[in-house]
């Protein structure tokens, strides 16, 4: 079988280069075919074995094309989850470096402003807006009325808006 491979190698490369539209891909495929044939050792084949050789090469090509199609579909699916497509360009769905710096600066101003607020106002804002507690839960945690929490949160928002504007 290896002798037949040697005789038909040039024909195989030419046929599969035309099908795959790449000589390099065809050479890879033919190399894989050689490894398969070598693993068969001295297989007794009826006839000259050309049909078996071409069938093995064709099956390897089909397996490779299926694998490439699966890989392409998986990669496209991953890319669609990672960003946004604008026209034909894939755009990352992450903020720019300038936006990140600006957001960090605003967060710094917000945290510094919270430090300047009266303790009850800062605590109400932190519990409600940052920790995600409802007004009722915040009131229970602070031991004050719900209306006091609403007033404290409102005062904190006004102070933050003034500093961030």
């Amino acid at each position: 079988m290896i002798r037949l491979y040697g005789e038909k190698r040039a024909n195989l490369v030419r046929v599969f280069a035309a099908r795959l539209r790449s000589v390099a891909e065809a050479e890879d495929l033919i190399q894989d075919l050689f490894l398969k044939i070598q693993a068969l050792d001295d297989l007794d084949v009826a006839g000259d074995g050309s049909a078996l050789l071409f069938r093995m090469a064709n099956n390897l090509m089909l397996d490779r094309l299926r694998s490439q199609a699966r890989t392409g579909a998986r990669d496209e699916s991953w890319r669609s989850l990672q960003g946004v497509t604008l026209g034909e360009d894939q755009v990352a769905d992450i903020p720019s470096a300038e936006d990140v710096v600006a957001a960090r600066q605003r967060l710094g101003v917000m945290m510094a402003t919270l430090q300047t607020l009266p303790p009850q106002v800062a605590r109400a804002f932190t519990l409600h807006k940052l920790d995600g507690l409802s007004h009722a839960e915040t009131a229970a945690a602070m031991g004050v009325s719900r209306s006091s929490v609403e007033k404290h949160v409102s005062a904190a928002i006004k102070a933050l808006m003034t500093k961030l504007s």
Side-chain angles (χ1 to χ4, degrees), residues 53-93:
L53 186 66
F54 276 88
R55 171 56 63 195
M56 289 173 67
N58 194 50
N59 287 345
L60 283 171
M61 180 191 67
L62 292 175
D63 288 346
R64 179 169 293 193
L65 291 173
R66 286 183 194 119
S67 175
Q68 288 172 346
R70 283 191 305 270
T71 299
R74 183 189 64 233
D75 290 350
E76 180 59 34
S77 181
W78 182 84
R79 276 192 299 276
S80 71
L81 293 174
Q82 298 305 309
V84 178
T85 303
L86 296 175
E88 294 180 12
D89 297 325
Q90 184 76 17
V91 180
D93 196 16

Side-chain angles (χ1 to χ4, degrees), residues 117-161:
L117 296 175
Q120 286 288 86
V121 173
R123 185 162 181 235
F125 179 83
T126 302
L127 289 172
H128 179 62
K129 292 295 186 180
L130 302 181
D131 294 343
L133 298 180
S134 68
H135 284 151
E137 292 169 332
T138 302
M142 293 178 62
V144 297
S145 70
R146 183 179 168 147
S147 114
S148 292
V149 169
E150 291 170 356
K151 288 176 187 171
H152 291 324
V153 170
S154 178
I157 290 173
K158 285 178 188 172
L160 289 170
M161 293 303 290

Side-chain angles (χ1 to χ4, degrees), residues 1 4 8 45-58:
M1 196 70 169
L4 181 62
K8 303 287 183 179
V45 179
D48 75 346
S50 294
L52 176 61
L53 186 66
F54 276 88
R55 171 56 63 195
M56 289 173 67
N58 194 50

Side-chain angles (χ1 to χ4, degrees), residues 2-122:
I2 291 178
R3 181 192 53 76
L4 181 62
Y5 169 85
E7 293 172 8
K8 303 287 183 179
R9 186 181 191 291
N11 290 343
L12 288 165
V13 170
R14 192 171 34 260
V15 167
F16 291 107
R19 287 186 184 171
L20 296 169
R21 295 185 180 99
S22 167
V23 174
E25 286 277 335
E27 289 287 347
D28 272 354
L29 181 78
I30 299 306
Q31 181 64 33
D32 290 346
L33 176 64
F34 178 78
L35 295 174
K36 285 218 178 261
I37 290 170
Q38 197 174 28
L40 292 176
D41 210 11
D42 292 325
L43 180 68
D44 193 23
V45 179
D48 75 346
S50 294
L52 176 61
L53 186 66
F54 276 88
R55 171 56 63 195
M56 289 173 67
N58 194 50
N59 287 345
L60 283 171
M61 180 191 67
L62 292 175
D63 288 346
R64 179 169 293 193
L65 291 173
R66 286 183 194 119
S67 175
Q68 288 172 346
R70 283 191 305 270
T71 299
R74 183 189 64 233
D75 290 350
E76 180 59 34
S77 181
W78 182 84
R79 276 192 299 276
S80 71
L81 293 174
Q82 298 305 309
V84 178
T85 303
L86 296 175
E88 294 180 12
D89 297 325
Q90 184 76 17
V91 180
D93 196 16
I94 57 174
S96 67
E98 293 84 10
D99 290 342
V100 170
V101 169
R104 286 184 181 159
Q105 288 172 344
R106 284 191 309 273
L107 179 60
V109 169
M110 184 181 98
M111 296 309 285
T113 302
L114 279 176
Q115 296 296 319
T116 66
L117 296 175
Q120 286 288 86
V121 173

